[in-house]
Amino acid sequence: MSFKNYKKYEPVKLDDRRWPSNTIKKAPIWCSVDLRDGNQSLPIPMNVEKKTKMFYLLKEMGFKEIEVGFPSASKAEFDFTRKLIEENMLDDDMTIQVLTQAREELIKKTFEAIDGCKRAIVHVYNSTSTLQREVVFKKDKEAIIDIAVNGVKLIKECAKKSNVKEIILEYSPESFTGTELDYALEICEAVIEAWEPTEENKIIINLPATVEMSMPNVYADQIEWFCRNISCRESVIISVHTHNDRGTGVAATELAMLAGADRVEGTLFGNGERTGNLDMLTVAMNLYSQGIDPELNIDNINHIITVYEECTLLKVHERHPYAGELVYTAFSGSHQDAIKKGLDVYNQNENKYWEVPYLPINPSDIGREYEAIIRINSQSGKGGIAYILQAEYGYKLPKKMHPEVGKLIQGVTDRTGKELNPQEIYDIFNKEYFEQDSILSLNRFESIIEDKDTKKKDVKVTVSAEVTFRGETKEVKGVGNGPIAAFVKGIRELDIEPFKLVEYEEHSMNGGADAQAVAYIGLINEKDEVKFGIGKDSNINLASIRALISAINRHMKN
């Protein structure tokens, strides 16, 4: 490898640049190029059926401008354009965009394709970069300008004869980022002069990063310089079309919007040549996360993914921004704990703004479910496990119990090396605390309050119970200031190691007459080992006794 083989980009002379101080306040004009730019880059291009399905998805999402194809390039592209028009698939507020090179026969074929359409953008382009002029076309600057101007004049001529109600011109100096800025401006001014746009009938000047060649701030400088120097700015819509060769297509687009771009072209999930086009969904979700209406319907991301994958035969990466399968998960223990605490505060306080650590948006806003937020593997922490047991199954574990349950679950993930889903976590938890091999089990339980005046400090409770201990049925009786204390005194006669109660919590699992009570009891033995037990019953006293027995069994089995 030799880095010396590569030329460094040239910075733009723009000492008073304004874009760094600007903010994005609204969504751009969106134009999807999935059906053209995205489609041409697929290993297996979409057939008419899949293009139709993709078109309806884009329509459903609210795209008003869609580049539907290059109708002069093939019969399939031509036929699809005709299908949209003849079958009345376009809403009144929608505009189809068709691409053509600045060549006479291609332009005429393009107008045949859009015949009868209400509104169409004719997108004409020719390459203007230094490299393309010298290597591909072997033409000087004037010759390249002539190609563009002659193409625009022919489009203007065809538009006058066409029965399309409204024709909008879009011109792209292809490889804009590799073109000298002053020359890019010169050729665009020549196109504007030939087309003669007005404030009511604007021209679209599209400035593509056909190949991403520099840092995104340089692209922003180029866009701002162009916006400040173009004549009749009020009659021009500045459009951007970024690719992702450097991995900064989204950043370049957002900075270009700060620099004055009005319109954005791109694809769903960034499908496109090489490393892809701009991912419009990411830009839209970035706007949404900042409280700006993206003006696209993106509240069912799973549906968008399903149609996209079916039509393109591509997979959305697990880590894709906002959409990936693993985006709303947390494997790190500290992340899981922070998410749990953030969700608790958000739900309790009913905050106006979504503010949860590690989750820039509320997953439910785009059709994701909370149960997928935290997933457990050997790197996970106790907070995430506690969150799953509470969110999915209703168990609000005492804080002091979190390390014990965390160690239990992580013991399994360490052995298997696998990720555990919520059901697997619950199964391990349930077996450990509710279905363990019983050294001590409860067969019958009765408690009697001797003095009904509960205002007295020394209320006496008598417990009578039948238990099975190490396979033998035993009757136990005890008196204490509560059912637990009385039961503990009763089982002291059994051969159970001494213990002391150090933690007790309880809560209701659900509302209504059939509500289940859950009790958590922590016991410490003579070796200072603390183990918890859990009990569940419609009667809180029985739930507590079951929790005590669960803790005793866990102590004695080790």
Side-chain angles (χ1 to χ4, degrees):
M1 295 179 69
S2 177
F3 62 88
K4 294 181 180 179
N5 289 342
Y6 299 92
K7 189 189 298 183
K8 190 175 182 179
Y9 59 83
E10 292 288 334
V12 179
K13 293 180 181 178
L14 194 68
D15 294 334
D16 62 339
R17 59 182 58 82
R18 300 164 191 164
W19 65 262
S21 300
N22 292 338
T23 56
I24 298 174
K25 297 179 180 178
K26 64 176 184 177
I29 301 166
W30 300 106
C31 178
S32 161
V33 296
D34 289 87
L35 297 173
R36 200 279 305 169
D37 202 351
N39 188 49
Q40 77 174 23
S41 62
L42 293 173
I44 303 175
M46 290 181 272
N47 57 25
V48 171
E49 182 184 353
K50 287 183 176 178
K51 285 191 78 169
T52 302
K53 190 164 190 174
M54 177 65 81
F55 173 81
Y56 276 117
L57 172 66
L58 297 169
K59 181 177 174 179
E60 181 184 329
M61 291 176 66
F63 284 99
K64 302 305 180 186
E65 296 183 5
I66 302 173
E67 189 167 88
V68 297
F70 197 147
S72 62
S74 72
K75 186 177 185 301
E77 296 282 281
F78 184 94
D79 290 347
F80 179 70
T81 306
R82 294 307 308 154
K83 175 184 174 72
L84 294 174
I85 297 167
E86 292 170 3
E87 297 184 13
N88 298 314
M89 293 166 63
L90 299 166
D91 292 341
D92 288 343
D93 61 350
M94 291 179 68
T95 305
I96 59 168
Q97 180 168 304
V98 284
L99 185 71
T100 180
Q101 292 174 333
R103 288 163 49 189
E104 181 177 357
E105 69 278 14
L106 301 184
I107 290 170
K108 289 183 176 179
K109 188 70 173 176
T110 300
F111 271 87
E112 287 180 34
I114 61 173
D115 183 63
C117 182
K118 180 178 180 180
R119 187 187 307 106
I121 297 169
V122 177
H123 182 186
V124 64
Y125 74 96
N126 65 316
S127 194
T128 60
S129 71
T130 309
L131 185 62
Q132 294 258 27
R133 294 196 314 263
E134 294 175 355
V135 175
V136 180
F137 300 106
K138 302 187 186 302
K139 292 182 182 292
D140 61 18
K141 291 182 177 180
E142 288 303 320
I144 297 296
I145 291 176
D146 287 344
I147 292 172
V149 170
N150 290 336
V152 169
K153 286 179 177 178
L154 179 58
I155 292 171
K156 190 173 184 179
E157 213 175 282
C158 292
K160 289 177 181 177
K161 300 174 184 176
S162 171
N163 66 354
V164 178
K165 292 182 180 179
E166 184 180 350
I167 296 287
I168 301 163
L169 177 69
E170 176 175 350
Y171 173 69
S172 288
E174 190 192 7
S175 300
F176 165 75
T177 48
T179 304
E180 308 91 328
L181 264 179
D182 56 349
Y183 178 59
L185 179 63
E186 182 183 354
I187 195 169
C188 289
E189 290 284 18
V191 164
I192 289 170
E193 184 180 351
W195 186 254
E196 298 179 303
T198 64
E199 287 188 51
E200 292 73 32
N201 299 292
K202 297 184 180 184
I203 186 173
I204 300 170
I205 297 294
N206 189 50
L207 304 174
T210 308
V211 177
E212 197 173 31
M213 302 171 68
S214 63
M215 291 171 64
N217 62 296
V218 174
Y219 186 58
D221 280 350
Q222 292 169 331
I223 299 301
E224 180 171 332
W225 184 94
F226 196 94
C227 288
R228 288 165 64 173
N229 285 280
I230 191 78
S231 65
C232 62
R233 176 67 178 91
E234 67 283 354
S235 301
V236 177
I237 295 170
I238 298 296
S239 176
V240 292
H241 179 125
T242 61
H243 280 252
N244 203 41
D245 300 272
R246 290 170 53 93
T248 56
V250 168
T253 295
E254 291 183 331
L255 297 192
M257 289 166 65
L258 292 175
D262 309 299
R263 183 176 182 268
V264 166
E265 294 187 349
T267 59
L268 303 181
F269 306 110
N271 175 36
E273 297 281 10
R274 304 179 310 281
T275 56
N277 286 286
L278 164 77
D279 176 11
M280 290 187 295
L281 280 172
T282 298
V283 176
M285 289 306 308
N286 286 350
L287 293 173
Y288 181 82
S289 72
Q290 299 298 303
I292 299 169
D293 182 359
E295 299 179 19
L296 290 176
N297 302 320
I298 48 180
D299 56 353
N300 190 346
I301 199 70
N302 293 332
H303 171 63
I304 296 170
I305 292 170
T306 298
V307 176
Y308 168 82
E309 291 185 339
E310 183 180 325
C311 292
T312 65
L313 303 181
L314 300 177
K315 289 288 293 179
V316 174
H317 194 277
E318 290 90 341
R319 297 292 183 189
H320 198 99
Y322 299 105
E325 183 185 346
L326 299 181
V327 171
Y328 305 105
T329 65
F331 294 101
S332 160
S334 60
H335 288 204
Q336 292 169 349
D337 185 58
I339 289 172
K340 178 185 181 300
K341 290 173 179 173
L343 288 170
D344 287 345
V345 171
Y346 178 77
N347 292 327
Q348 289 168 9
N349 297 343
E350 297 182 352
N351 289 348
K352 178 181 178 182
Y353 297 111
W354 172 263
E355 291 179 312
V356 174
Y358 303 110
L359 294 177
I361 67 163
N362 186 337
S364 66
D365 287 353
I366 57 171
R368 288 292 173 84
E369 299 293 334
Y370 276 132
E371 64 262 24
I373 288 177
I374 296 175
R375 294 160 65 155
I376 304 302
N377 65 12
S378 61
Q379 302 300 305
S380 306
K382 56 188 183 295
I385 296 164
Y387 173 79
I388 284 177
L389 290 171
Q390 179 176 336
E392 300 285 339
Y393 302 102
Y395 292 96
K396 302 175 186 176
L397 305 185
K399 185 72 174 175
K400 291 180 181 178
M401 192 176 175
H402 289 192
E404 179 179 287
V405 177
K407 185 177 179 181
L408 170 70
I409 302 300
Q410 286 183 315
V412 177
T413 58
D414 284 340
R415 287 194 305 274
T416 63
K418 295 168 66 175
E419 174 191 318
L420 299 178
N421 61 40
Q423 183 61 53
E424 290 170 322
I425 292 166
Y426 175 74
D427 289 345
I428 296 166
F429 169 81
N430 187 63
K431 183 176 181 180
E432 177 69 20
Y433 291 97
F434 293 102
E435 297 178 356
Q436 74 267 57
D437 294 333
S438 296
I439 298 169
L440 175 67
S441 60
L442 183 68
N443 302 327
R444 177 180 55 80
F445 178 86
E446 295 176 7
S447 64
I448 300 171
I449 301 175
E450 293 185 0
D451 192 331
K452 301 292 185 181
D453 187 358
T454 55
K455 292 181 180 179
K456 291 183 178 180
K457 290 185 179 180
D458 298 324
V459 175
K460 296 296 181 184
V461 175
T462 299
V463 161
S464 173
E466 180 186 280
V467 300
T468 299
F469 181 65
R470 299 192 187 281
E472 295 185 22
T473 300
K474 303 281 187 180
E475 290 285 336
V476 296
K477 291 186 178 181
V479 178
N481 60 2
I484 296 175
F487 184 74
V488 167
K489 284 186 179 179
I491 62 174
R492 290 293 186 197
E493 300 175 7
L494 305 177
D495 184 21
I496 295 175
E497 63 179 283
F499 59 83
K500 185 169 71 173
L501 191 148
V502 292
E503 187 76 16
Y504 177 82
E505 287 190 25
E506 64 183 53
H507 66 80
S508 174
M509 285 197 78
N510 47 47
D514 60 344
Q516 289 271 297
V518 180
Y520 308 88
I521 284 180
L523 301 180
I524 187 169
N525 62 14
E526 292 181 322
K527 300 175 185 177
D528 289 332
E529 296 170 333
V530 177
K531 289 190 183 294
F532 278 83
I534 307 177
K536 184 168 61 174
D537 200 280
S538 57
N539 182 300
I540 185 57
N541 289 336
L542 272 175
S544 301
I545 299 302
R546 295 188 193 287
L548 178 69
I549 291 172
S550 171
I552 291 171
N553 282 325
R554 294 189 67 246
H555 263 296
M556 295 187 69
K557 78 175 183 178
N558 294 327

